[in-house]
Amino acid sequence: MNFLKTSAPALAAVAVLGACAHTPATTGTTGTISMSTLHAASPALEKYTEKTLLGDLWGRTDLIARDRSIVTLAALISRKDLGELAFHFNKALDNGVKPGELSEMLAHLAFYSGWGNATAAAGVLAPVFQARGIQASALPPATVDLLPIDQKSEDVRVASVSRNVGDSAPGLVKFTSEALFHDLWLRPGLAPRDRSLVTFSSLVATGQVAQLGYHLNRAMDNGLKQAEASEALAQLAFYAGWPNVFTAIPVVRETFAKRPA
Amino acid sequence: MNFLKTSAPALAAVAVLGACAHTPATTGTTGTISMSTLHAASPALEKYTEKTLLGDLWGRTDLIARDRSIVTLAALISRKDLGELAFHFNKALDNGVKPGELSEMLAHLAFYSGWGNATAAAGVLAPVFQARGIQASALPPATVDLLPIDQKSEDVRVASVSRNVGDSAPGLVKFTSEALFHDLWLRPGLAPRDRSLVTFSSLVATGQVAQLGYHLNRAMDNGLKQAEASEALAQLAFYAGWPNVFTAIPVVRETFAKRPA
Amino acid sequence: MNFLKTSAPALAAVAVLGACAHTPATTGTTGTISMSTLHAASPALEKYTEKTLLGDLWGRTDLIARDRSIVTLAALISRKDLGELAFHFNKALDNGVKPGELSEMLAHLAFYSGWGNATAAAGVLAPVFQARGIQASALPPATVDLLPIDQKSEDVRVASVSRNVGDSAPGLVKFTSEALFHDLWLRPGLAPRDRSLVTFSSLVATGQVAQLGYHLNRAMDNGLKQAEASEALAQLAFYAGWPNVFTAIPVVRETFAKRPA
């Protein structure tokens, strides 16, 4: 059997990208993995991937496929799961995520998961766009007309930063205000509800419990439904591991409980 | 000196895998690193690797080499240390870990450290198995006769999930019950004590303190000795970094203290 | 447009390394990403990279460029951001970080961020040194005359370890004492203040809040100024993501507050 050249079945979440034919060790990091590779390494993992993950989880109707793709990509990019990324960018486009939304997700996750995560993801997304004939001119440009800021929500945020950060990190406060909340969050290429879904998913996927309550509340203010957030946790359990989700649960539960019904 | 083509000494933990000869930058990520590369970059790191890590640590008798390999692999897979993985899969097989146990570890860590971690590891393990002539037919098949569930322990777990998760994430509760505790944990290809050692190591290696107490207790119920868990922490300090282990210590210590002598 | 062969502008933080010309998917992981790739994937990310990150942040005078390079490298190595590493090793050398200091940083981060992080970084640093004609003989050798230990500070540390770890992990205590504090920290090739800056940056970049107070105090005892630690947080927000820094803020603020003015 040749692990490296087997192309994946159409429905599989994983497909070998050739890389150098003589460098099998690179497959794990940089190309996606074929079902036959999973079979060769772990028939149990192959079964859970086909039946539980791709069958049961993705088939659930509690969260639409488009949103599952957004949650999944936020987790993969935040965790540098580059091997699965090309497949999931294509799946997201097939599930109705727009090219411009993917483009904005990268910029958003640069701030929320680290610059290198986003630039590495750009290295995977650019060839995906190229293969589909999607030009940069079709993406939201660098400078755009911004959405109006919600001043009430912004006042709450500023008060919270002032209370928590104080004068301990003036540079941080400046960039948080100017670059994040007065620019990034107001770019219209990704709806506030979707920016919040990306942020929530990224925080859960990287075990960032301390910011979770604030951002889940913001997400629900921005239109994310409780049932959607709840099902996103099931999606994240698979892509970010069970422990990250169980660690997030107490905060999620408390946030749900404190919101008006 | 040619960093890329130098083969490692037999005892070294690290050995260059060729990759494309003209792509030095890929070595860091995808192939293992030779001692001569360590020497060229940092003679101090080379010394600590040879003397402290491979000499002192691996030579300690408080944990058998087979278990050190299991702890190390759980850490490497959970942290996506793909560069060291091929070497350590081979070392584990040499240390007496069975192919079927490695196969089950991947499926186990898909749930506990994230799906992409396990599929990336499969991309490294499949060629290792191929090179040794280990066929998928020699591994535990997708469907197996399951071990009987320990109903008393399961009742405690269900009560804990109900108390902590409640109705905040019904999809998560369903998969946790059906896929994890009524299937994965009952597969006989990896003994419960070893599944617990993998889980404990993965949690420490990824800073997941919140689940640590439950799983260390479960590990000791499954037969892991206190001295083994204790020495696993020394192993994990090297492979997952000192801070992760120091963060875990208070929970470990409290768990030890609360168990009957 | 050819994403893979475009060389980056001189000032850009990112530059394509060729890799195999026929393996675009590997670019994301192993080579650095060109500005034209960022443009093709996300014009917004390109803008924030050029203007906010490389322009505004790196241009601030609150932290000298040499220290920004140290903070950035500590974050990248601790988070396995290998794609950006070759560029930043070169930038660090251009900013006045000495080859021997980079060499010692790798050994230091093996202990503080995990062995595989450091060996992977060695795989990137060795070719950088080779390209500049920097021989291993010009780096601090494996065995050196150590700095004298500060016995007062060491007594505090030993008491703290004894109090926190007790007899729960004797192997860990042994290696912490012998390898870390009686050897690594006393190597003169990286000044204690710089070792502390590396440690502080690594802890923030990996969300290790529990050890942060101890090491920030140690850093300031070693000569790191409050304004430098503060500005390092702005640098880390970009390279390790906003959430890690906001999670660190309460500990940083409390530590600042408790120190004599």
Side-chain angles (χ1 to χ4, degrees):
Chain A
M1 192 187 310
N2 186 326
F3 304 130
L4 295 171
K5 293 184 176 167
T6 314
S7 59
L11 282 174
V14 284
V16 165
L17 294 177
C20 308
H22 54 293
T23 57
T26 65
T27 311
T29 4
T30 58
T32 39
I33 306 297
S34 70
M35 278 295 174
S36 61
T37 299
L38 293 192
H39 181 73
S42 173
L45 178 57
E46 180 197 18
K47 179 193 79 167
Y48 290 124
T49 302
E50 277 192 330
K51 187 171 169 304
T52 314
L53 176 69
L54 299 175
D56 295 351
L57 179 73
W58 278 87
R60 288 169 62 89
T61 54
D62 312 64
L63 192 67
I64 62 171
R66 172 197 180 271
D67 288 347
R68 284 190 193 274
S69 276
I70 288 175
V71 170
T72 303
L73 283 171
L76 296 179
I77 294 170
S78 299
R79 294 164 51 79
K80 294 198 194 81
D81 270 329
L82 297 173
E84 308 226 343
L85 209 44
F87 174 84
H88 279 288
F89 277 136
N90 278 300
K91 188 180 177 94
L93 291 165
D94 294 342
N95 282 339
V97 182
K98 291 176 193 151
E101 292 173 330
L102 293 181
S103 171
E104 291 292 319
M105 276 180 68
L106 293 202
H108 197 90
L109 287 168
F111 289 93
Y112 281 96
S113 73
W115 221 260
N117 295 53
T119 56
V124 180
L125 182 55
V128 168
F129 279 168
Q130 190 183 36
R132 288 179 174 239
I134 297 165
Q135 308 284 331
S137 56
L139 305 173
T143 304
V144 290
D145 287 341
L146 300 176
L147 299 172
I149 202 161
D150 175 344
Q151 196 57 49
K152 192 175 145 199
S153 158
E154 173 65 3
D155 291 346
V156 171
R157 186 195 68 76
V158 169
S160 161
V161 167
S162 171
R163 193 169 56 245
N164 293 321
V165 182
D167 59 0
S168 65
L172 177 70
V173 170
K174 170 190 139 73
F175 286 113
T176 303
S177 173
E178 294 174 10
L180 255 77
F181 288 96
H182 288 252
D183 198 84
L184 176 78
W185 274 91
L186 305 181
R187 291 177 60 88
L190 187 64
R193 180 264 191 197
D194 294 337
R195 287 195 186 274
S196 275
L197 183 59
V198 168
T199 309
F200 171 73
S201 300
S202 175
L203 291 173
V204 173
T206 55
Q208 296 287 358
V209 177
Q211 271 71 246
L212 199 57
Y214 171 80
H215 275 292
L216 179 53
N217 263 316
R218 186 180 172 96
M220 296 177 79
D221 290 345
N222 282 338
L224 187 72
K225 299 202 181 83
Q226 178 170 327
E228 293 171 331
S230 174
E231 181 67 13
L233 294 176
Q235 189 81 7
L236 289 164
F238 283 87
Y239 286 100
W242 250 252
N244 275 314
V245 175
F246 267 86
T247 298
I249 284 285
V251 179
V252 170
R253 203 179 178 191
E254 189 191 355
T255 307
F256 284 169
K258 283 190 180 164
R259 290 182 68 87
Chain B
M1 192 187 311
N2 185 326
F3 304 132
L4 296 171
K5 291 183 178 168
T6 314
S7 58
L11 281 175
V14 284
V16 164
L17 294 177
C20 308
H22 53 293
T23 57
T26 65
T27 311
T29 6
T30 58
T32 38
I33 307 298
S34 71
M35 279 295 173
S36 62
T37 299
L38 293 191
H39 181 74
S42 175
L45 178 56
E46 179 196 21
K47 179 194 78 168
Y48 291 124
T49 301
E50 277 192 330
K51 186 171 169 304
T52 315
L53 176 69
L54 299 174
D56 295 350
L57 178 74
W58 279 88
R60 287 168 63 88
T61 54
D62 312 66
L63 191 67
I64 62 171
R66 171 196 180 270
D67 288 348
R68 285 191 193 273
S69 275
I70 289 175
V71 169
T72 303
L73 283 172
L76 296 179
I77 294 170
S78 299
R79 295 165 51 80
K80 294 197 194 82
D81 270 328
L82 297 173
E84 308 226 343
L85 209 44
F87 174 84
H88 279 288
F89 277 137
N90 278 301
K91 188 181 177 92
L93 290 165
D94 294 343
N95 281 340
V97 182
K98 293 176 192 150
E101 292 173 331
L102 292 180
S103 172
E104 292 292 319
M105 277 181 67
L106 292 202
H108 197 91
L109 287 169
F111 289 93
Y112 280 96
S113 74
W115 220 261
N117 295 54
T119 57
V124 180
L125 182 56
V128 168
F129 279 168
Q130 189 183 37
R132 288 180 174 238
I134 297 166
Q135 307 285 330
S137 56
L139 305 173
T143 305
V144 290
D145 288 341
L146 300 176
L147 299 173
I149 202 161
D150 175 344
Q151 196 58 49
K152 192 175 146 199
S153 157
E154 173 64 5
D155 290 346
V156 171
R157 185 195 68 76
V158 169
S160 161
V161 168
S162 171
R163 193 170 55 245
N164 293 322
V165 183
D167 58 0
S168 65
L172 177 69
V173 170
K174 171 188 140 72
F175 285 113
T176 304
S177 173
E178 294 174 10
L180 254 77
F181 288 95
H182 288 253
D183 199 84
L184 177 78
W185 274 91
L186 304 181
R187 292 176 59 88
L190 188 64
R193 180 264 191 198
D194 294 335
R195 286 194 187 275
S196 275
L197 182 59
V198 168
T199 309
F200 170 73
S201 301
S202 175
L203 291 173
V204 173
T206 55
Q208 296 287 357
V209 176
Q211 270 71 245
L212 198 58
Y214 172 80
H215 276 291
L216 179 53
N217 263 316
R218 185 179 172 98
M220 295 177 80
D221 290 344
N222 282 337
L224 188 72
K225 299 204 181 81
Q226 178 170 327
E228 292 171 331
S230 174
E231 181 67 13
L233 294 176
Q235 188 81 8
L236 288 164
F238 284 86
Y239 286 100
W242 250 252
N244 276 314
V245 175
F246 268 87
T247 298
I249 285 284
V251 180
V252 169
R253 203 179 178 191
E254 189 190 355
T255 306
F256 284 170
K258 283 191 179 165
R259 290 184 67 88
Chain C
M1 191 187 312
N2 186 326
F3 304 131
L4 295 171
K5 292 183 178 166
T6 314
S7 59
L11 282 174
V14 283
V16 164
L17 293 177
C20 308
H22 53 293
T23 57
T26 65
T27 311
T29 6
T30 57
T32 38
I33 307 298
S34 70
M35 279 295 174
S36 61
T37 299
L38 293 191
H39 181 74
S42 174
L45 178 56
E46 180 196 19
K47 179 193 78 167
Y48 290 124
T49 302
E50 277 192 330
K51 187 172 170 304
T52 316
L53 177 69
L54 299 175
D56 295 350
L57 179 74
W58 278 87
R60 288 168 63 87
T61 54
D62 313 66
L63 192 67
I64 62 171
R66 172 197 180 268
D67 287 348
R68 285 191 192 275
S69 275
I70 288 176
V71 169
T72 303
L73 284 172
L76 297 178
I77 294 171
S78 299
R79 296 165 50 81
K80 293 195 196 84
D81 270 329
L82 297 173
E84 308 226 344
L85 209 43
F87 174 83
H88 279 288
F89 277 135
N90 278 300
K91 188 180 176 93
L93 290 165
D94 294 342
N95 282 339
V97 182
K98 292 177 194 149
E101 292 173 329
L102 293 180
S103 171
E104 292 291 319
M105 277 181 66
L106 293 202
H108 197 91
L109 287 168
F111 289 93
Y112 280 96
S113 74
W115 221 260
N117 295 54
T119 57
V124 180
L125 182 56
V128 168
F129 279 166
Q130 190 183 36
R132 288 179 174 240
I134 298 166
Q135 308 285 331
S137 56
L139 305 173
T143 304
V144 291
D145 287 340
L146 300 176
L147 299 173
I149 201 160
D150 175 344
Q151 196 58 49
K152 191 176 148 199
S153 158
E154 174 65 3
D155 290 346
V156 170
R157 187 196 67 75
V158 168
S160 161
V161 167
S162 171
R163 194 170 54 244
N164 293 321
V165 183
D167 58 0
S168 66
L172 176 69
V173 170
K174 172 189 138 71
F175 285 113
T176 303
S177 172
E178 294 174 11
L180 255 77
F181 288 95
H182 288 252
D183 198 86
L184 177 78
W185 275 90
L186 304 181
R187 292 177 60 87
L190 188 65
R193 179 264 192 197
D194 294 336
R195 287 195 186 273
S196 275
L197 182 58
V198 168
T199 309
F200 171 72
S201 300
S202 175
L203 291 173
V204 173
T206 55
Q208 296 287 358
V209 176
Q211 271 71 244
L212 198 58
Y214 171 80
H215 276 291
L216 179 53
N217 264 315
R218 186 180 172 97
M220 295 176 79
D221 289 345
N222 283 337
L224 188 72
K225 300 202 180 81
Q226 178 170 328
E228 293 170 331
S230 174
E231 181 66 12
L233 293 176
Q235 189 81 6
L236 288 165
F238 284 86
Y239 286 100
W242 251 252
N244 276 315
V245 175
F246 267 87
T247 298
I249 285 284
V251 179
V252 169
R253 204 179 178 191
E254 189 191 355
T255 306
F256 285 169
K258 283 191 179 163
R259 289 183 67 87

